[in-house]
Amino acid sequence: MKQDDPLVVFTPSGRRGRVPSGTSVLDAARRLGVDLDSVCGGRGICSKCQISLGTGSFPKHGITVTKEALSAKNAVEQRYDEKRGLPPARRLGCQARILADAVIDVPPESQIHRQVVRKDAELRAIEMDPATRLCLVDVAEPDLQAPSGDLERLNSALAAQWQIGPARCPLPVLARLQATLRRGDWQVTVALHRAPDGLEILDIWPGFFEGPLYGLAIDIGSTTIAGHLTDLSTGTVIASSGRMNPQIRFGEDLMSRVSHAMLTPGGAAEMTAALHAGLDRLAAEIATEAGVAPRQIVETVLVGNPVMHHLALGLDPVELGQAPFALASSGALWLAAGDLGIGAINPEARAYLLPLIAGHVGADAAAVALSEAPEEADELTLIVDVGTNAEILLGDRSGVLACSSPTGPAFEGAQISAGQRAAPGAIERVRIDPATKEPRFKVIGCELWSDDPDFAEAVGPAGVTGICGSGIIEAVAEMRLAGLVDMSGLIGSAAQTGSERCRPEGRTQSYLLHDGSSAGGPVIAVTQTDIRAIQLAKAALYAGARLLMDRRGVDRVERVVLAGAFGAHISPLHAMVLGMIPDVPLDRVRSAGNAAGTGARIALCSVAARRKIEEVVRRIEKVETATEPRFQEHFVAANALPHASDPFPELARQRHLPEVVFNADGGGNRRRRRPR
């Protein structure tokens, strides 16, 4: 491709490349290995290839996109729109042609291999104390001798029969009150919500309505949104669902989205609208999946990092992109769910947002603290919520510290040459034989390893499609264990490593993991650029943890908890080989799964838990990595695999790391000296 050809970036995959002007979006997607569906062969009939164009400034990609980046709607698109209708801002990828630099979003319904959003609910015993409950009430009939309103008599009944009240009644519920009372022969069931400023009637049914009522716990991540539909009487999770965060088309990391708000007029409002639409679709999908009437979903609890929190509320996140990283509001919020664009549940449903810890440490970290309770731990515990923006807690009974580290999207498979989101066909597990240097791997959706004779048949016609976050972590760690990568992160040549899988790529080397070209599939290799992206991400993570350890005055922790959907799928051994986490015995590392989602669910089911986390957050000491002088020092040292100076004795007891050093110019290798 020519350097002046249009640059096209596809989200959420992160795939990018230059294509000749006039190339259709569908053809560009196929050239770049982007997952864009099409059944009709590009004739504009099936509508499977719908896409949308992101416009504005994209500093991360170094481009500015205008509406003229794509050709105008042609006759095929216009005819399809007239007959079957296209959603606003959608185009048919087979018809739209790329004329200038473009950022193209491929929505979930246009992807052949749907994203696997790994944020399942963890089983957890919760002491139930929901904010909303049902009350059966017998209301006195009207009396000419003692005239009063139906609402006043309902409140009198609540006081007499339940010793609670009075309760406010929103106008839409008040409009149904009289008919409901008479239809129930003066017996009604009301959904009462306990807010900080008093009781509120969210809904009313004639006679006895046994429910149950449901709530929705939502974890808004930078990359994905996950929801857990929960029975408010038992705490049981009825259904869980997830989808990509639609904001990803505005940037894969948080600062890209803050930049979009800074540089694009109306950019913040555009991202808020996209998030609200995503939240509403998630709520509708999960209710349909569970077979639950939307009216019965009366509460939602939301957690997210500060940028997601502000954009969900329609607040401009610009101040979060510059010191002193001021929050518009850090306290817990009680709102109407409709204020967050969630209309697919009860119209009077309420929303609770957990408090934020600091400018870069959000309500999701507070939810992790609620789930894991580090302030109650006897051992010094490091909790790492691994994601695009890692949030880190360190504490025990003597106190808790918190910070965040900008790890970026590499752990999600973005910025990796053959990287992709977690979806069927993506490599998620890797092993490399230290003697032969030959790899074997597993892909999502198939239980067999690639060296199994039945692997090709089991993986199906789609085959191996790329490598996801957990796969690239294991691949780089296995390369280090096999002596294919040295401590500095350099890949050796074939002569240095004894493996023909190490191949020149420009002035550096790459390691061939899988060659599917004979069957029309992708060539998947780990490049030097891939390793550099992982080094930068893991160094930021480790540096953040070290800052908290410095503040606490310790060199070791006693226990490590890996939280988050990605953290749940990281091998502790491979994480330690890379130096993502401090050195501890491997049996002292555990996964907490989606701890932020679990914390959100606890808050959904318990008003007492809400009060507890609000108090805990006030006592957490915040450490701002962006202004700490030693962050850069720790970051540089942590670029080595596993570390340039910190000892890893527990790792050494588990695995031997080959002492090789590869020159960048491809010269011979030599044994390195141990750091003193």
Side-chain angles (χ1 to χ4, degrees), residues 131-133 135 158 164 167 190-194 199-202:
T132 306
R133 61 172 177 163
C135 294
L158 286 170
I164 55 176
V190 294
L192 283 177
H193 177 74
R194 283 182 290 160
L199 288 173
E200 189 169 18
I201 301 171
L202 300 186

Side-chain angles (χ1 to χ4, degrees), residues 23-353:
T23 302
S24 74
V25 173
L26 180 59
D27 285 343
R30 287 171 172 168
R31 291 188 192 193
L32 297 174
V34 174
D35 193 10
L36 180 59
D37 202 356
S38 178
V39 175
C40 67
R43 291 178 292 168
I45 298 172
C46 71
S47 84
K48 298 285 187 181
C49 63
Q50 290 184 31
I51 53 91
S52 60
L53 175 71
T55 57
S57 177
F58 296 88
K60 181 179 180 63
H61 305 306
I63 58 176
T64 298
V65 182
T66 66
K67 293 180 180 178
E68 288 71 35
L70 294 183
S71 59
K73 281 188 178 180
N74 61 16
V76 174
E77 285 181 285
Q78 289 174 351
R79 183 170 63 252
Y80 183 90
D81 197 11
E82 290 168 2
K83 291 188 175 182
R84 300 178 62 183
L86 276 172
R90 288 282 180 88
R91 298 288 304 276
L92 296 181
C94 63
Q95 302 300 312
R97 300 192 174 275
I98 299 167
L99 304 179
D101 293 350
V103 174
I104 306 291
D105 181 58
V106 181
E109 56 270 27
S110 297
Q111 298 170 21
I112 303 171
H113 305 101
R114 299 297 171 87
Q115 167 82 18
V116 178
V117 180
R118 292 166 153 173
K119 294 196 175 183
D120 295 333
E122 179 184 303
L123 291 175
R124 183 70 65 93
I126 301 173
E127 188 172 335
M128 298 302 296
D129 178 30
T132 306
R133 61 172 177 163
L134 293 171
C135 294
L136 180 67
V137 187
D138 290 298
V139 180
E141 296 185 38
D143 186 346
L144 276 174
Q145 305 305 315
S148 64
D150 286 351
L151 177 59
E152 286 68 30
R153 280 180 282 103
L154 172 58
N155 272 320
S156 295
L158 286 170
Q161 297 163 35
W162 291 91
Q163 292 76 53
I164 55 176
R168 301 187 305 275
C169 188
L171 185 58
V173 179
L174 182 60
R176 302 197 307 273
L177 175 61
Q178 290 191 305
T180 304
L181 280 167
R182 286 151 181 82
R183 199 159 61 247
D185 197 21
W186 305 101
Q187 183 183 74
V188 291
T189 303
V190 294
L192 283 177
H193 177 74
R194 283 182 290 160
D197 58 348
L199 288 173
E200 189 169 18
I201 301 171
L202 300 186
D203 210 336
I204 184 167
W205 292 265
F208 174 61
F209 174 70
E210 59 182 332
L213 297 180
Y214 298 95
L216 195 55
I218 300 177
D219 176 12
I220 308 173
S222 307
T223 305
T224 57
I225 306 171
H228 306 296
L229 186 65
T230 305
D231 186 322
L232 292 179
S233 59
T234 65
T236 304
V237 175
I238 305 303
S240 295
S241 185
R243 60 185 299 118
M244 296 298 294
N245 186 331
Q247 290 180 342
I248 203 167
R249 69 176 182 268
F250 304 107
E252 293 168 331
D253 57 68
L254 297 178
M255 287 304 102
S256 294
R257 296 183 203 175
V258 172
S259 295
H260 185 75
M262 286 180 175
L263 301 174
T264 305
E270 187 180 13
M271 289 187 285
T272 293
L275 179 57
H276 284 183
L279 292 172
D280 194 46
R281 283 195 295 270
L282 176 67
E285 288 170 2
I286 203 167
T288 300
E289 177 187 339
V292 168
R295 183 181 176 185
Q296 289 177 249
I297 306 174
V298 295
E299 268 204 84
T300 182
V301 167
L302 294 93
V303 300
N305 61 59
V307 174
M308 294 301 98
H309 172 277
H310 278 43
L311 288 172
L313 292 169
L315 304 174
D316 195 323
V318 165
E319 291 299 326
L320 298 175
Q322 54 200 2
F325 313 112
L327 295 160
S329 173
S330 61
L333 297 173
W334 299 66
L335 306 166
D339 292 341
L340 303 171
I342 307 176
I345 58 178
N346 192 296
E348 301 304 321
R350 311 306 295 170
Y352 175 78
L353 281 74

Side-chain angles (χ1 to χ4, degrees), residues 356-376:
L356 306 177
I357 297 176
H360 284 160
V361 189
D364 49 354
V368 171
L370 179 58
S371 171
E372 297 303 307
E375 77 284 355
E376 299 174 5

